[in-house]
Amino acid sequence: MYNLENVIDRKQGNARKWSNQVLKEKFGLNEEAIPMDLADIDFEVAPAIQKAVMKRASIGDYSYTYIPDEFYEAVINWNKRRYNTHIEKEWIKLTFGTVSTLHYIVQAYTKIGEGVLINTPAYDPFAEAIEHNERKLFCSSLINRENRYYLDFDDIEKQMKENNIKLYIFCSPQNPSGRIWTKEELFQLAELCIRHEVLLVCDEIHRDIVYKNQTFTSIWNAHPKISQHSVLCLSPNKGFNLGGLKTSYVVVPNPDIRETLLLQLQKNSITSPHVFAVPAIVAAYNESEDWLDEMIDYVEENMEIIYDFFADIPEAKVMPAESSFLAWIDVHNWFKDESEMQGFFQRAKLTMVVGSYFVQDGEGFVRLSIGMPRNLLMEALSRIKKEYNKNMIHA
């Protein structure tokens, strides 16, 4: 129904991922490179979103904005319809991006020197939000059992008790692996947070891309009490590729917890939203669900191609994903270190994210962003195979 095979020229829009300047400065590559590093998708945005943004642009007024009721209605209905999650208007606050919001959250709920917990490997800005605000970072390593991640509940509880943890930033589904936590796992996690009076900040921004035959459970549906002890970070950015419009939002049911965050946002002058943010979100949630479903099926097929491709490279092992458009690949047996890995991908004219970026426990892995038209993906894999064969000949 939608043309997901269409390769758009993302350089025209100054997309960071495709910028010739970034490719050169960060990766030592030229315009021939295929970027597979940044966690955004390379599909043309859903038609309804384009139409809504163009309609808003045609008004010719780009001044300060306010948030109309249609935004709240779209958010409430989307969360109810898609995730069976009850949200009320007063609980919602539109912000300028999940990463910056994590900084405000750390500032709001903790003091300098207090402990904040994350699971690793983790998206590095989680750690930055903690350390850049002079809080103490504590990491609970995920258990890699038979190429699948599991939470170490004993260690999580030990950290909460011994390190006086005040805040726990948790990623669901997990980035970089695409692991979807079960309802039972989330219940146990929530129990620990409630028992030890740790505020849970749950980042669910990758949940819009969940593969068929997989079940995603929002943290609030896993435990009857956790909504009163948590902050939920949500965004259409991953599913609908709206990162440039700053369309992230937080949902906080507990009035005391919410008021604390709103006061911090006021201190940081988080006021009127991006002029195109509201029309884009409304069009995404109200008119683009069929586009999203089609894109998810397409990305899942891309992931199957990844599995088949790397099955022929015995030194690599792809961790099975249940969500998202990110392939997390164990290359311990392929490259002796990350420098060698980076050299391989540079020669193949591809970008990627090295495992050490993910705070800790990611060394020996590589993350590839595969939310792209099929011909781009096949060309990228062809380059990997060509470079791999070349190396085998010289081995």
Side-chain angles (χ1 to χ4, degrees):
M1 184 177 175
Y2 297 99
N3 185 12
L4 297 172
E5 301 283 0
N6 183 34
V7 179
I8 59 174
D9 184 2
R10 297 192 63 201
K11 294 180 190 293
Q12 284 190 337
N14 293 321
R16 189 200 318 170
K17 186 177 180 181
W18 286 85
S19 163
N20 289 338
Q21 182 176 342
V22 173
L23 289 171
K24 181 179 179 181
E25 293 177 355
K26 188 174 180 180
F27 299 99
L29 294 168
N30 59 26
E31 64 277 1
E32 296 177 1
I34 298 177
M36 304 181 78
D37 57 304
L38 202 63
D40 65 14
I41 52 179
D42 292 309
F43 306 114
E44 188 172 13
V45 77
I49 299 173
Q50 292 188 55
K51 184 178 178 180
V53 170
M54 290 172 71
K55 180 180 178 181
R56 177 63 184 83
S58 70
I59 295 173
D61 173 17
Y62 313 125
S63 59
Y64 300 116
T65 60
Y66 81 102
I67 304 173
D69 283 343
E70 63 175 345
F71 161 76
Y72 297 104
E73 292 166 2
V75 168
I76 290 167
N77 292 335
W78 176 260
N79 281 275
K80 180 63 176 177
R81 185 173 71 250
R82 194 87 177 177
Y83 304 105
N84 193 31
T85 303
H86 173 73
I87 290 176
E88 297 181 13
K89 177 182 175 180
E90 292 73 22
W91 304 353
I92 307 166
K93 175 62 179 177
L94 183 61
T95 60
F96 291 160
T98 302
V99 170
S100 58
T101 301
L102 289 176
H103 285 259
Y104 309 142
I105 286 171
V106 169
Q107 294 163 8
Y109 300 117
T110 64
K111 298 182 177 69
I112 290 175
E114 289 186 329
V116 183
L117 181 65
I118 63 174
N119 298 108
T120 51
Y123 182 49
D124 188 61
F126 283 16
E128 291 178 346
I130 299 162
E131 295 180 321
H132 289 183
N133 287 291
E134 299 178 70
R135 276 61 170 176
K136 289 184 179 178
L137 169 66
F138 292 97
C139 301
S140 179
S141 300
L142 297 174
I143 300 169
N144 187 346
R145 186 186 306 135
E146 297 180 356
N147 206 26
R148 178 176 169 84
Y149 283 135
Y150 293 88
L151 293 162
D152 187 339
F153 291 107
D154 290 338
D155 181 66
I156 291 169
E157 183 165 32
K158 180 183 177 185
Q159 298 249 26
M160 287 179 174
K161 286 197 268 189
E162 293 183 357
N163 299 317
N164 193 24
I165 299 298
K166 299 296 183 182
L167 194 70
Y168 183 1
I169 303 176
F170 181 69
C171 196
S172 177
Q174 204 265 345
N175 174 18
S177 70
R179 165 75 149 88
I180 294 178
W181 308 111
T182 66
K183 186 175 182 178
E184 293 73 22
E185 288 171 318
L186 293 171
F187 179 88
Q188 192 171 348
L189 188 80
E191 278 281 290
L192 291 178
C193 290
I194 294 169
R195 184 186 310 153
H196 297 287
E197 299 182 345
V198 174
L199 180 64
L200 178 61
V201 178
C202 194
D203 172 1
E204 293 188 1
I205 69 170
H206 286 270
R207 70 178 186 174
D208 283 334
I209 304 177
V210 171
Y211 300 158
K212 57 181 175 289
N213 301 323
Q214 300 293 338
T215 300
F216 172 82
T217 302
S218 178
I219 186 67
W220 290 353
N221 292 333
H223 193 291
K225 296 181 180 179
I226 193 60
S227 66
Q228 293 300 309
H229 302 267
S230 61
V231 174
L232 196 58
C233 296
L234 301 175
S235 174
N237 290 355
K238 298 306 176 187
F240 296 99
N241 212 32
L242 304 181
L245 294 182
K246 305 305 178 187
T247 52
S248 299
Y249 56 98
V250 291
V251 189
V252 193
N254 184 305
D256 294 330
I257 295 173
R258 182 169 67 249
E259 184 61 25
T260 299
L261 181 57
L262 292 178
L263 287 172
Q264 185 62 48
L265 293 176
Q266 287 178 9
K267 291 178 183 178
N268 291 91
S269 295
I270 307 304
T271 55
S272 54
H274 191 292
V275 70
F276 297 121
V278 168
I281 293 175
V282 171
Y285 285 170
N286 290 354
E287 303 177 68
S288 305
E289 192 165 4
D290 55 346
W291 180 91
L292 177 65
D293 289 336
E294 191 169 322
M295 189 273 289
I296 293 170
D297 289 343
Y298 192 95
V299 167
E300 186 173 4
E301 290 173 10
N302 277 1
M303 191 64 76
E304 293 293 338
I305 290 170
I306 289 289
Y307 297 148
D308 291 342
F309 175 82
F310 282 101
D312 292 330
I313 298 181
E315 298 90 346
K317 186 166 58 174
V318 183
M319 185 172 286
E322 297 154 340
S323 67
S324 196
F325 48 86
L326 304 170
W328 185 237
I329 309 169
D330 185 339
V331 292
H332 281 94
N333 296 323
W334 189 352
F335 305 107
K336 70 174 185 290
D337 54 33
E338 285 190 343
S339 177
E340 185 177 81
M341 177 171 64
Q342 288 172 313
F344 176 94
F345 279 91
Q346 185 178 50
R347 292 191 300 275
K349 297 180 181 177
L350 302 171
T351 72
M352 47 76 205
V353 184
V354 296
S356 62
Y357 171 80
F358 297 92
V359 188
Q360 67 178 39
D361 303 313
E363 292 80 0
F365 284 81
V366 62
R367 194 192 75 177
L368 300 178
S369 182
I370 63 165
M372 59 178 61
R374 193 78 27 83
N375 59 343
L376 264 183
L377 178 64
M378 299 311 293
E379 171 59 24
L381 295 180
S382 173
R383 294 182 185 186
I384 291 174
K385 191 66 173 177
K386 183 178 178 181
E387 189 61 32
Y388 176 79
N389 290 339
K390 193 187 302 181
N391 285 5
M392 293 297 290
I393 291 171
H394 293 101

